[in-house]
Amino acid sequence: MNLADLFQGVGTFFYQEPKIAIARVVLIFLGIFLVYLGKKGTLEPLIMIPMGFGMSAVNAGVLFLDGQKHLEIGTIFMDPLETDTTGLMDILQIDFLQPIYTFTFSNGLIACLVFMGIGVISDVGNLLRFPFTSMLIAMFAELGTILTFPIARAMGLSLGEAASIAVVGGADGPMVLFTSMLLANDLFVPITIIAYLYLSLCYGGYPFLIRLLIPKELRGVAVKSAKKTDISSKEKIIFDVVACTLLCLLFPMAAPLFLCFFLGNAIKESGVFKYMQLLEDVFLYASTFFLGLLLGVLCEGSTLLDPLILKLLVLGMLALALAGVGGIIGGYVVYFINGKKFNPTIGIAGVSCVPTTAKVAQKEVQKANKRVVVLQYAMGACICGVITSAILTGLYVSIIPLLQ
Amino acid sequence: MNNWLIAFEIYFLGFIIAVVMAAMIKVMLIVIRRLSPPEKAAEKNEGGSA
């Protein structure tokens, strides 16, 4: 017996292609680094800590699947690329994460459960108070989703691949998961990983964009205080039902996501406390945990080494950057329409990373002027951003298959 | 079909839908408040407690 068979995690390095072996080492250290950044709070810890652990473990825990023949190398975490039904049934009984991947991740269930949880923690009241302002800002923030598509096509991606990476600009993880599952199944894994990595960077990157594009005196502008209209729970639930039905009618391909978001929100407004606890404490946190873990485990060296990865990295960053710029432009438009009595920083909240971008907007405004509070307007734009992302996702998944 | 045109059409359709939704919200709030204004709710509560 040689040492490679005794310590297979190390031994497999010598039986794999050099680039895969190097990728494994890099990903092990990257995983550890992501855990550190998650713990420090630089990146979102809810996703990064399980993701980092999964990433380093899956790249370390590689073994010979055919004993001493040393021809087949893999892991017993999961196989995302297995499509044959018989092979899948075998793997489901061996790989411990395969049931979760097959029955919740690759069919979009986990995205829907996360969306249900997002619905429960969202308040559509601000959207109902300022619908036109919120929708305008949110649609400007969708510039990333729109402009990235033709750029991706120019870089050689197919229609479905370009649409999937463009949806990253909507800053909505479940939407990206859903779109890439439907339109670009081959790139589902790298696109989703890139989307979640970049979404976690929003908190760190967007303040610089705000300071670059908005001068300090404008960042400190107080919003002209409109008479605050009380929005009752009844009105919010009616909105949830009507909007859900309407959007499902228009975009049945994205109906699962619409149902989950509006159902979650309706449960919150109905005051059924046990259901609210279930959706928020169990569904949302369990789904987020397993989402992060699965994403990390998907970052195995051999799965990620696709020549398209570099293009996707660039396009993902571009999509989110353009989304931020678009949101700020939207903020400026409302600023001028409202006779300079609106804070353009609120525009960044149109990028629907709930509630991160709303918090970023409030933090940057308060740095410029401690007395100004914009959170309610920012949250209205943020929640609206979820809806406009869903609209554009629905349009992409409906229109792109017709063009292929 | 030109990719910029596809993108523009999707954005345009999205904008229309967003504006329609915003208008729908305004109309919905007006209708709900007309059918059951806050004063009626307050009267019902007073009648109940008496």
Side-chain angles (χ1 to χ4, degrees):
Chain A
M1 182 191 285
N2 62 38
L3 284 173
D5 292 315
L6 194 57
F7 302 109
Q8 293 187 25
V10 177
T12 44
F13 278 121
F14 303 101
Y15 287 85
Q16 281 178 310
E17 288 177 43
K19 63 178 180 180
I20 295 180
I22 293 167
R24 278 179 57 196
V25 173
V26 169
L27 288 167
I28 287 169
F29 284 106
L30 180 60
I32 295 168
F33 188 53
L34 288 180
V35 173
Y36 165 71
L37 290 177
K39 172 73 177 81
K40 208 176 154 199
T42 312
L43 299 181
E44 175 56 64
L46 288 175
I47 294 273
M48 288 301 138
I49 291 177
M51 186 168 169
F53 264 97
M55 197 185 285
S56 55
V58 78
N59 284 287
V62 180
L63 66 156
F64 299 110
L65 296 173
D66 54 358
Q68 291 180 9
K69 286 184 196 156
H70 300 159
L71 294 172
E72 213 182 324
I73 295 174
T75 71
I76 52 170
F77 286 75
M78 65 188 193
D79 185 351
L81 303 175
E82 178 61 66
T83 50
D84 174 63
T85 317
T86 313
L88 197 56
M89 283 311 296
D90 289 337
I91 294 172
L92 277 166
Q93 294 167 81
I94 301 168
D95 293 0
F96 87 106
L97 283 175
Q98 193 71 39
I100 298 175
Y101 178 80
T102 304
F103 297 126
T104 70
F105 195 89
S106 58
N107 63 358
L109 173 61
I110 212 167
C112 292
L113 292 175
V114 170
F115 235 46
M116 226 184 260
I118 290 175
V120 161
I121 63 172
S122 301
D123 182 8
V124 295
N126 296 308
L127 159 62
L128 296 180
R129 275 186 208 105
F130 321 110
F132 285 103
T133 305
S134 303
M135 285 287 184
L136 186 67
I137 291 173
M139 278 311 295
F140 269 96
E142 297 296 338
L143 274 178
T145 314
I146 290 303
L147 295 177
T148 307
F149 176 77
I151 296 171
R153 287 285 287 151
M155 286 172 79
L157 271 63
S158 70
L159 284 167
E161 290 164 354
S164 303
I165 195 66
V167 170
V168 173
D172 220 299
M175 297 286 179
V176 176
L177 223 156
F178 203 73
T179 314
S180 52
M181 187 185 76
L182 290 175
L183 299 180
N185 212 265
D186 293 342
L187 294 183
F188 170 64
V189 169
I191 286 179
T192 318
I193 291 165
I194 286 165
Y196 276 97
L197 262 175
Y198 282 147
L199 289 177
S200 307
L201 289 172
C202 274
Y203 201 72
Y206 276 161
F208 295 103
L209 193 65
I210 291 168
R211 285 172 219 159
L212 185 69
L213 297 176
I214 306 176
K216 193 175 179 183
E217 53 273 18
L218 291 187
R219 276 185 263 139
V221 167
V223 182
K224 176 184 145 190
S225 52
K227 186 180 151 199
K228 193 173 174 183
T229 323
D230 278 329
I231 307 285
S232 65
S233 290
K234 185 175 89 175
E235 287 162 343
K236 290 176 191 173
I237 290 183
I238 292 173
F239 165 73
D240 285 333
V241 170
V242 172
C244 179
T245 311
L246 181 68
L247 289 170
C248 287
L249 272 170
L250 292 175
F251 309 112
M253 291 291 276
L257 289 178
F258 294 136
L259 167 68
C260 291
F261 177 78
F262 288 110
L263 175 61
N265 195 253
I267 284 181
K268 178 196 172 194
E269 297 306 331
S270 65
V272 183
F273 185 64
K274 293 285 187 189
Y275 278 174
M276 282 166 60
Q277 268 187 314
L278 174 72
L279 262 53
E280 190 175 343
D281 295 346
V282 180
F283 282 18
L284 179 60
Y285 284 100
S287 311
T288 306
F289 174 80
F290 280 108
L291 186 64
L293 182 61
L294 289 172
L295 285 172
V297 172
L298 283 167
C299 293
E300 202 210 321
S302 51
T303 314
L304 276 190
L305 281 180
D306 190 300
L308 274 182
I309 290 291
L310 189 60
K311 281 186 197 172
L312 295 177
L313 281 168
V314 168
L315 287 166
M317 205 177 338
L318 183 70
L320 279 171
L322 287 173
V325 170
I328 290 172
I329 293 174
Y332 271 118
V333 168
V334 177
Y335 168 74
F336 286 114
I337 289 173
N338 277 21
K340 300 187 182 179
K341 289 173 186 164
F342 187 82
N343 194 316
T345 315
I346 294 168
I348 201 78
V351 182
S352 64
C353 198
V354 181
T356 306
T357 45
K359 279 160 47 173
V360 165
Q362 177 57 49
K363 206 169 156 185
E364 289 303 307
V365 162
Q366 228 151 19
K367 276 183 186 168
N369 186 340
K370 286 189 183 132
R371 288 169 300 171
V372 175
V373 176
V374 297
L375 194 60
Q376 61 164 342
Y377 303 97
M379 279 305 295
C382 219
I383 301 300
C384 215
V386 176
I387 296 172
T388 52
S389 294
I391 291 171
L392 287 182
T393 298
L395 282 166
Y396 269 123
V397 298
S398 304
I399 292 174
I400 297 298
L402 299 173
L403 299 171
Q404 280 171 338
Chain B
M1 201 177 181
N2 182 272
N3 296 309
W4 290 96
L5 198 59
I6 296 169
F8 172 73
E9 278 187 16
I10 289 175
Y11 195 56
F12 182 69
L13 280 170
F15 225 106
I16 300 282
I17 294 167
V19 168
V20 166
M21 279 199 75
M24 176 199 86
I25 289 167
K26 283 282 190 190
V27 168
M28 184 193 82
L29 287 174
I30 292 168
V31 168
I32 292 170
R33 281 166 191 183
R34 206 163 272 191
L35 291 174
S36 131
E39 299 84 45
K40 260 192 193 171
E43 277 174 21
K44 271 188 195 166
N45 288 338
E46 278 173 26
S49 58

